[in-house]
Every structure is written in C-alpha cells, then in structure tokens.
Amino acid sequence: MKAVRWIFLIFLGVGSIVLAVAALSFLHTRQFVHSSSAGDGVVIENVWRESSGRSRGGSYYPRVRFRTGSGQDFVIISSTGSSPPSFRVGERVQVLYSPDNPTRARIDSFGSLWALPLIFGCIGLVFCSVGIGPLLWQRRVHQRDEWLRANGQRITADFDRVELNTSLRVNGRCPYRIVCQWLDPASNRIHVFRSHNLWYDPQRYITGNTVLVMVDPANLKRYVVDTSFLPELAE
C-alpha cells in the first residue's frame, strides 16, 4: 500500500529536517562557546512565564546580572527555563558573553547551552526511527522474498481461509491475509503459512483449493506465499 510507504517517508523527511536544525543549533552554540568571554554573575530573579497553548503551566527563567572583563554590568534573562527553577536567587553563576555584544550572553551550564540541540536531536531521531525502521524492514523482507522465489523449495499448501490482520490498522482499515496449511511428510507436522498483507479481500479471486508457497528447506519459518495470481490493486 503506497499510502503506508508515504507515511513512513514523511516521518523520515520531518526527522531529517529536525536533525538538520539540531545540527545547526549545535554548531552555532559551539561557535558561541569558542568565541565568547566569561564573566561572573549572580541570579537576581526567577521570572515565571506561562507556556503557550492550551496546556497550563510554565517555567522559571533566571534573570542574571553579570560583569564583563571591562567592568561593565549587564542583566540578561536566560532563554532556557525549567520548573522548578534550576538556579536559586542569589546563586553565583558563570556567564558566557560575546565580546562584541555582551547582551548576547548565556549561563555557562549544560541546560542553557545544549538543551535546544539535544531536544531537537532526540525528536529528530525518534521521527527518523519511525520512518526508516519500517522501510529497512520492508527492504529486508523484499530481499528475502526474492531469494525464496529464486532458491526456495516450492510446496503446495492447502488453502484454509482469508483472515483480517487486526494487529495493523491504517486509516481505520485492516489488511487481509491468505492462510494455508501444509503437512510435512518427513516430520508429520502441519505448518501454517500466511501471506503478506493485502489491502483488498482476495476471497473471490481464489478459485482453487491449494496455494503455492516457497520455503527455505533449512528453516521452514522463512517462506513466502505466492499471491502473483491475484489482480494488482489500483492505487
């Protein structure tokens, strides 16, 4: 189903963009740290700011007074907040500031410097994992199926039924699977095989009582049910 593949590709695309933002934020912060000067500061207030949106809550943003190397005093409000506050009023902190523009300053702490690239990086990795994981799995399954079609043992299994795969749902729909059985004469054991997901009911197109299955003789759990006799689904 092409729609499912597009969903994974969208997740991968969004994740890649967010990772690019994280990388740019990391590089910008690293450049700032390397080119900045350090000054002694003190937290004079924790400013409460409510969160935007419908959710109630907010964070405390430390207001810091610091002194530059030239003896000038400046006051900044950190761009990074937390709840409860990360700093106490009166707590002494080190501040990194731009020598050309001391108002461009940050508290020298991991949260103040690296929280933004870390957050964006984690979000990007999650989105990329959601997108690329299923795509890699589909690629692996496709390669396995091609090997089985070329090298697998062909057996004729008895058609059993068509079932809904209720473990998967896309846009409110569950795919169908063909279920068939085969009695292994060597071990006198019955093996149940299921086809890949089908996004339409194949029942009316199954005219015989048997289904071709290609299996790996060394591992009967590696198999592919032949559905090439079914009509192709129009997208």
Short mmCIF file of all heavy atoms in Angstrom, two decimals, residues 47-73:
data_model
loop_
_atom_site.label_atom_id
_atom_site.label_comp_id
_atom_site.label_asym_id
_atom_site.label_seq_id
_atom_site.Cartn_x
_atom_site.Cartn_y
_atom_site.Cartn_z
N VAL A 47 12.11 34.47 36.69
CA VAL A 47 10.93 35.04 36.04
C VAL A 47 10.02 33.90 35.57
O VAL A 47 10.45 33.02 34.82
CB VAL A 47 11.34 35.91 34.84
CG1 VAL A 47 10.11 36.51 34.17
CG2 VAL A 47 12.31 37.00 35.29
N TRP A 48 8.76 33.96 36.01
CA TRP A 48 7.79 32.93 35.62
C TRP A 48 7.14 33.30 34.29
O TRP A 48 6.66 34.42 34.11
CB TRP A 48 6.72 32.79 36.69
CG TRP A 48 5.56 31.92 36.30
CD1 TRP A 48 4.34 32.31 35.86
CD2 TRP A 48 5.54 30.49 36.30
NE1 TRP A 48 3.55 31.23 35.60
CE2 TRP A 48 4.25 30.09 35.84
CE3 TRP A 48 6.47 29.51 36.63
CZ2 TRP A 48 3.89 28.75 35.73
CZ3 TRP A 48 6.10 28.18 36.51
CH2 TRP A 48 4.82 27.82 36.06
N ARG A 49 7.13 32.36 33.38
CA ARG A 49 6.47 32.56 32.10
C ARG A 49 5.56 31.37 31.84
O ARG A 49 5.99 30.22 31.91
CB ARG A 49 7.48 32.69 30.96
CG ARG A 49 8.30 33.97 31.02
CD ARG A 49 9.31 34.01 29.88
NE ARG A 49 10.10 35.23 29.90
CZ ARG A 49 11.14 35.45 29.09
NH1 ARG A 49 11.48 34.54 28.19
NH2 ARG A 49 11.80 36.59 29.17
N GLU A 50 4.30 31.67 31.52
CA GLU A 50 3.35 30.60 31.24
C GLU A 50 3.61 30.00 29.87
O GLU A 50 4.04 30.69 28.95
CB GLU A 50 1.92 31.12 31.31
CG GLU A 50 1.50 31.54 32.71
CD GLU A 50 0.02 31.91 32.78
OE1 GLU A 50 -0.62 31.90 31.70
OE2 GLU A 50 -0.47 32.19 33.87
N SER A 51 3.32 28.71 29.76
CA SER A 51 3.50 28.02 28.48
C SER A 51 2.45 28.48 27.49
O SER A 51 1.31 28.78 27.86
CB SER A 51 3.41 26.50 28.67
OG SER A 51 4.37 26.05 29.60
N SER A 52 2.84 28.55 26.24
CA SER A 52 1.88 28.90 25.20
C SER A 52 1.03 27.70 24.86
O SER A 52 1.44 26.55 25.05
CB SER A 52 2.61 29.39 23.94
OG SER A 52 3.50 28.38 23.47
N GLY A 53 -0.15 27.92 24.36
CA GLY A 53 -1.05 26.83 24.01
C GLY A 53 -2.09 26.61 25.08
O GLY A 53 -2.23 27.39 26.03
N ARG A 54 -2.86 25.52 24.93
CA ARG A 54 -3.96 25.25 25.85
C ARG A 54 -3.49 24.68 27.18
O ARG A 54 -4.17 24.83 28.20
CB ARG A 54 -4.92 24.26 25.18
CG ARG A 54 -5.59 24.81 23.92
CD ARG A 54 -6.57 23.79 23.35
NE ARG A 54 -7.24 24.30 22.16
CZ ARG A 54 -8.14 23.61 21.46
NH1 ARG A 54 -8.45 22.37 21.84
NH2 ARG A 54 -8.69 24.14 20.38
N SER A 55 -2.36 23.99 27.17
CA SER A 55 -1.90 23.37 28.41
C SER A 55 -1.45 24.43 29.42
O SER A 55 -0.76 25.38 29.08
CB SER A 55 -0.73 22.42 28.12
OG SER A 55 0.34 23.12 27.54
N ARG A 56 -1.88 24.24 30.63
CA ARG A 56 -1.48 25.15 31.70
C ARG A 56 -0.11 24.76 32.23
O ARG A 56 0.31 23.63 32.17
CB ARG A 56 -2.51 25.11 32.82
CG ARG A 56 -3.89 25.67 32.41
CD ARG A 56 -4.82 25.69 33.60
NE ARG A 56 -6.10 26.28 33.24
CZ ARG A 56 -7.11 26.45 34.10
NH1 ARG A 56 -6.97 26.05 35.36
NH2 ARG A 56 -8.25 27.00 33.69
N GLY A 57 0.56 25.76 32.79
CA GLY A 57 1.89 25.52 33.31
C GLY A 57 2.85 26.53 32.74
O GLY A 57 2.49 27.45 32.00
N GLY A 58 4.09 26.38 33.09
CA GLY A 58 5.10 27.31 32.62
C GLY A 58 6.46 26.95 33.19
O GLY A 58 6.66 25.84 33.72
N SER A 59 7.40 27.88 33.08
CA SER A 59 8.76 27.64 33.54
C SER A 59 9.33 28.91 34.15
O SER A 59 8.84 30.02 33.89
CB SER A 59 9.66 27.20 32.37
OG SER A 59 9.19 26.02 31.79
N TYR A 60 10.35 28.71 34.98
CA TYR A 60 11.08 29.82 35.58
C TYR A 60 12.35 30.08 34.76
O TYR A 60 13.13 29.16 34.51
CB TYR A 60 11.46 29.51 37.02
CG TYR A 60 10.28 29.44 37.97
CD1 TYR A 60 9.68 28.22 38.28
CD2 TYR A 60 9.78 30.60 38.57
CE1 TYR A 60 8.61 28.15 39.15
CE2 TYR A 60 8.71 30.54 39.44
CZ TYR A 60 8.13 29.32 39.73
OH TYR A 60 7.06 29.25 40.58
N TYR A 61 12.53 31.34 34.37
CA TYR A 61 13.70 31.74 33.60
C TYR A 61 14.58 32.64 34.46
O TYR A 61 14.11 33.70 34.93
CB TYR A 61 13.28 32.48 32.33
CG TYR A 61 12.54 31.61 31.35
CD1 TYR A 61 11.19 31.32 31.52
CD2 TYR A 61 13.20 31.06 30.25
CE1 TYR A 61 10.50 30.51 30.63
CE2 TYR A 61 12.52 30.25 29.35
CZ TYR A 61 11.17 29.99 29.54
OH TYR A 61 10.49 29.18 28.65
N PRO A 62 15.81 32.24 34.73
CA PRO A 62 16.66 33.04 35.63
C PRO A 62 17.07 34.37 34.99
O PRO A 62 17.49 34.42 33.83
CB PRO A 62 17.87 32.13 35.86
CG PRO A 62 17.90 31.21 34.68
CD PRO A 62 16.48 31.01 34.28
N ARG A 63 16.92 35.43 35.79
CA ARG A 63 17.45 36.74 35.40
C ARG A 63 18.80 36.89 36.09
O ARG A 63 18.90 36.73 37.32
CB ARG A 63 16.51 37.86 35.82
CG ARG A 63 16.89 39.25 35.26
CD ARG A 63 16.11 40.35 35.97
NE ARG A 63 14.69 40.19 35.82
CZ ARG A 63 13.97 40.70 34.82
NH1 ARG A 63 14.56 41.42 33.88
NH2 ARG A 63 12.67 40.50 34.76
N VAL A 64 19.83 37.20 35.32
CA VAL A 64 21.19 37.19 35.82
C VAL A 64 21.86 38.54 35.58
O VAL A 64 21.73 39.12 34.50
CB VAL A 64 22.03 36.07 35.14
CG1 VAL A 64 23.46 36.08 35.65
CG2 VAL A 64 21.39 34.70 35.38
N ARG A 65 22.54 39.03 36.62
CA ARG A 65 23.39 40.21 36.47
C ARG A 65 24.84 39.71 36.45
O ARG A 65 25.25 38.95 37.32
CB ARG A 65 23.21 41.19 37.61
CG ARG A 65 24.12 42.44 37.47
CD ARG A 65 24.08 43.33 38.71
NE ARG A 65 22.76 43.92 38.90
CZ ARG A 65 21.96 43.67 39.92
NH1 ARG A 65 22.36 42.80 40.85
NH2 ARG A 65 20.78 44.25 40.03
N PHE A 66 25.59 40.15 35.45
CA PHE A 66 26.99 39.73 35.35
C PHE A 66 27.87 40.92 34.99
O PHE A 66 27.39 41.95 34.50
CB PHE A 66 27.14 38.60 34.32
CG PHE A 66 26.96 39.03 32.90
CD1 PHE A 66 28.05 39.35 32.10
CD2 PHE A 66 25.69 39.11 32.34
CE1 PHE A 66 27.89 39.75 30.78
CE2 PHE A 66 25.52 39.50 31.02
CZ PHE A 66 26.61 39.82 30.24
N ARG A 67 29.15 40.76 35.22
CA ARG A 67 30.12 41.82 34.96
C ARG A 67 31.12 41.33 33.92
O ARG A 67 31.66 40.22 34.01
CB ARG A 67 30.84 42.23 36.24
CG ARG A 67 31.92 43.30 36.05
CD ARG A 67 32.31 43.90 37.39
NE ARG A 67 31.18 44.64 37.97
CZ ARG A 67 31.23 45.28 39.13
NH1 ARG A 67 32.37 45.26 39.84
NH2 ARG A 67 30.18 45.92 39.59
N THR A 68 31.37 42.16 32.93
CA THR A 68 32.33 41.84 31.87
C THR A 68 33.75 42.10 32.35
O THR A 68 33.98 42.68 33.42
CB THR A 68 32.04 42.65 30.61
OG1 THR A 68 32.28 44.04 30.89
CG2 THR A 68 30.61 42.46 30.15
N GLY A 69 34.72 41.73 31.51
CA GLY A 69 36.12 41.96 31.85
C GLY A 69 36.47 43.43 31.94
O GLY A 69 37.44 43.81 32.63
N SER A 70 35.69 44.27 31.24
CA SER A 70 35.95 45.71 31.28
C SER A 70 35.27 46.39 32.46
O SER A 70 35.37 47.61 32.63
CB SER A 70 35.48 46.36 29.98
OG SER A 70 34.08 46.17 29.80
N GLY A 71 34.55 45.63 33.30
CA GLY A 71 33.91 46.18 34.49
C GLY A 71 32.49 46.65 34.28
O GLY A 71 31.89 47.22 35.20
N GLN A 72 31.89 46.42 33.12
CA GLN A 72 30.51 46.82 32.86
C GLN A 72 29.55 45.75 33.36
O GLN A 72 29.82 44.56 33.25
CB GLN A 72 30.28 47.06 31.37
CG GLN A 72 31.01 48.27 30.79
CD GLN A 72 30.74 48.42 29.32
OE1 GLN A 72 31.14 47.59 28.51
NE2 GLN A 72 30.04 49.49 28.97
N ASP A 73 28.42 46.20 33.90
CA ASP A 73 27.38 45.28 34.39
C ASP A 73 26.26 45.18 33.36
O ASP A 73 25.81 46.20 32.80
CB ASP A 73 26.82 45.77 35.72
CG ASP A 73 27.81 45.58 36.86
OD1 ASP A 73 28.69 44.70 36.73
OD2 ASP A 73 27.71 46.30 37.87
#
